[in-house]
Amino acid sequence: MSSDTPPVAKKVPAERTHHGDTVIDDYAWLTNKDDPDTVAYLEAENAFTHDQTGHLKDLQEAVFQEIKARTQETDLSVPARKGGWWYYSRTEEGKQYGIQCRLRVEGDTPPELKAGEPLPGEQVLLDGNVLVGDSPFFAMGTSAVNPDGSALAYSTDFSGNERFTLRFKRLDTGEVLADEIPNIFYGGAWAADGSAFFYTTVDDAWRPYRVYRHMIGTSADEDVLVYEESDERFWVGIGLTRSERFVVLSAGSKITSEVRVLDAEYPTGEFAVVRPRRTGVEYTIDHQGDRFLILHNEGARNFEIAAAPIDDPAAWTPLVPHREDTRLLDVDAFSDHLVVHFRRDGLTGIRVLPEDGEPYEISFPEPIHTAEPAGNPEFHTGRLRLAYASMVTPPSVYDYDLTSRELILLKRRPVLGGYEPEDYEQFREWAVAEDGTRIPVSIVAKRGTPRPAPTVLYGYGSYEASIDPSFSVARLSLLDRGMVFAVAHVRGGGEMGRRWYEEGRLSNKKNTFSDFVAVARHLKRSGWSSEIVARGGSAGGLLMGAAVNLAPEEFSGVVAEVPFVDALNTILDPSLPLTVIEWDEWGDPLHNPDVYAYMKSYTPYENINDRTYPPILAITSLNDTRVLFHEPAKWVARLRATAAGGPFLLKTEMGAGHGGRSGRYDAWREEAFTLSWILDRAATGATEDTEEKK
């Protein structure tokens, strides 16, 4: 097979009928991961992609070296205090994974950071570079120190399928206990005395649905099932309040919550329901003194905060009222104050509610930024740890002194090679959607970049997830070569509050896709962009597929990472991971013919047409449990068979999960591969535009 000849997926017609509609799926056979023909096809696609991108080898290496050279490879996080210890992680040059450490507290000030040097007296808790062994993949699921700091619970995954093995380690001796529990999910919670640990497991559809109690020093076979969620729309999770007074067992669908609590001093007791679930009511809790704090949306679309007595947790009394212009995201309870994380006008903010005194908001220096509480495990504290970044300011860690109201910069992530924020500039634009809605757009470019410029346009737009302004070392390789980077804050995300989400889900989902196209057209009309390369992943990959179906002429290239492009077939199959819980997000096409018709009208795989499409790079992972590998594989096969244009490339990581390769150097190489393809498309697209104008 020559490098110019793509693999041709065989057609094996498979018929399905729903609501009187019969559909032939020629590529359904690709869903069989164990079929040698499937693996052979994926390997052939990888070989073709390798050949098609061979001319980019030098550029890939250059971008990788730029990422590496700008990154302080040996580094430390800012230590966070919990009890008598400072906890932090660090990295070492040449090593793929982080090292978790702690240091005994001496005074209230975090220890001085010295990159490249372990802190004197530190204790290494976990070293990922040791744990990984010879495995090509490694991920941590849980890492939780018990309340008195004497033991550590941790879980590991060596395949990328997000099923972890839980182990326990004594921190005074370093001994790893004989207790070993396979096939658990993320998270967990310790009992107050460290005698028990609660964890979750998943069902065949990868839904966390059971909570078990493990008594330290016993066999996993003796673990007690304390809760099982029978409603397939609900996930369960387990954790502790910051006070460590209560174990919190949460069950939630996309639109409904139910929380149970247990006094952490009595791990064998019964969990009590805070308030029974009611469809459409979401809530979370934290604990302070003799009350619970409840963040909820009952009669409050953008959420409000209530207080309730511990002995009557269903009696909610308003504390922070609802505001139509402010989406409340979280409430953190401390011994003497509350901290509210919120969103307003497309940006995040932080509000402090002192025990004595008037509430106030913390101000930040840049008009476009992201700020959130981060790393605050200590319940009794006079400082608030914050994470801050913008599109030109690297991730920064602040302590906010609650007495002096002073922001104290503890660390800004180093960017080596002479990076100066002043050399770059960020902007907020507003595009207008088809229905007149104004869509925010965040833009960053190197100062002095001639316009219009080739542009990467990123989008997501699902699950009320917000793509907030952030910094990227890798992105500098684009900006320094004259590209613009923009984020389209389309509906379906949460950037403008709950309304923004509601206008981009269920029967409003098409707004997400038309918003993205409207932003692309705005960037061209307003003189920002020449050719545009679109990029998105997971549900953002669905956005990529739908947008390119709508307006292929607007894009010079599309990068779709672990893309949810076969959404209708997936959501029709309740046996697949995550399907039933997704019905609250997309609708239920299995039982509702109107939802079926609506989804069929927009899902990328169903709507490929014979127009000329731009080149497309689809990236996936064989062990992905969230968006299965066959979705992009089928999509690319149908693109080749139906559409003009291209080329259409598929790259499959044969030993990774939803997040791609796990080691940081491996991840940098993957990003360098993607960025080199984007740069090539920008340059080629500009050449093609020039030729067309001639």
Side-chain angles (χ1 to χ4, degrees), residues 62-239:
V63 173
F64 169 76
Q65 293 298 337
E66 289 167 11
I67 297 171
K68 188 170 180 288
R70 289 183 170 120
T71 302
Q72 187 162 293
E73 297 176 64
T74 300
D75 205 358
L76 298 94
S77 66
V78 178
R81 182 172 179 172
K82 184 177 185 294
W85 298 88
W86 294 106
Y87 289 86
Y88 59 97
S89 63
R90 57 183 179 84
T91 55
E92 293 183 2
E93 183 174 352
K95 294 185 177 181
Q96 295 267 32
Y97 301 98
I99 304 167
Q100 296 182 24
C101 307
R102 71 177 182 178
L103 185 70
R104 285 201 177 275
V105 167
E106 293 182 7
D108 295 329
T109 304
E112 182 180 353
L113 304 178
K114 294 182 180 179
E117 299 179 20
L119 294 177
E122 75 174 13
Q123 179 184 10
V124 174
L125 305 181
L126 294 172
D127 186 340
N129 306 288
V130 174
L131 291 172
V132 66
D134 296 326
S135 173
F137 182 91
F138 170 74
M140 296 287 301
T142 296
S143 177
V145 176
N146 69 352
D148 71 5
S150 64
L152 172 73
Y154 69 98
S155 62
T156 53
D157 166 24
F158 295 98
S159 70
N161 67 0
E162 299 183 83
R163 289 193 179 183
F164 300 87
T165 297
L166 177 65
R167 295 179 175 86
F168 301 90
K169 181 178 181 179
R170 286 186 56 178
L171 296 181
D172 55 348
T173 65
E175 174 192 4
V176 177
L177 304 183
D179 310 45
E180 186 173 299
I181 307 168
N183 295 321
I184 77 157
F185 199 58
Y186 296 96
W190 283 99
D193 62 0
S195 64
F197 189 80
F198 296 88
Y199 62 90
T200 60
T201 62
V202 298
D203 62 13
D204 291 339
W206 249 257
R207 174 182 68 101
Y209 76 122
R210 286 177 171 170
V211 177
Y212 285 89
R213 181 181 65 240
H214 174 76
M215 303 305 294
I216 304 302
T218 66
S219 167
D221 295 338
E222 300 174 34
D223 290 357
V224 175
L225 176 66
V226 298
Y227 181 78
E228 179 171 344
E229 177 55 60
S230 59
D231 190 327
E232 293 182 345
R233 298 171 302 167
F234 283 71
W235 282 34
V236 299
I238 195 78

Side-chain angles (χ1 to χ4, degrees), residues 511-540:
N511 285 335
T512 304
F513 318 133
S514 58
D515 285 359
F516 191 80
V517 172
V519 170
R521 289 172 174 161
H522 169 83
L523 291 174
K524 290 182 177 180
R525 285 196 306 266
S526 61
W528 268 106
S529 303
S530 47
E531 50 284 322
I532 291 176
V533 178
R535 184 176 186 181
S538 196

Side-chain angles (χ1 to χ4, degrees), residues 546-568:
V548 78
N549 282 342
L550 283 175
E553 72 281 358
E554 297 296 340
F555 307 104
S556 297
V558 174
V559 177
E561 297 165 286
V562 291
F564 186 39
V565 283
D566 192 20
L568 180 59

Side-chain angles (χ1 to χ4, degrees), residues 27 118 273 282 308 385 426 437:
Y27 306 108
V273 176
E282 303 167 62
R385 179 68 53 83
Q426 58 183 346
T437 301

Side-chain angles (χ1 to χ4, degrees), residues 454-486:
T455 299
V456 173
L457 180 59
Y458 187 88
Y460 188 76
S462 291
Y463 305 112
E464 203 180 0
S466 299
I467 309 301
D468 290 312
S470 63
F471 182 84
S472 167
V473 164
R475 188 192 300 151
L476 297 176
S477 293
L478 299 179
L479 305 185
D480 288 353
R481 288 175 171 83
M483 292 197 74
V484 165
F485 181 87

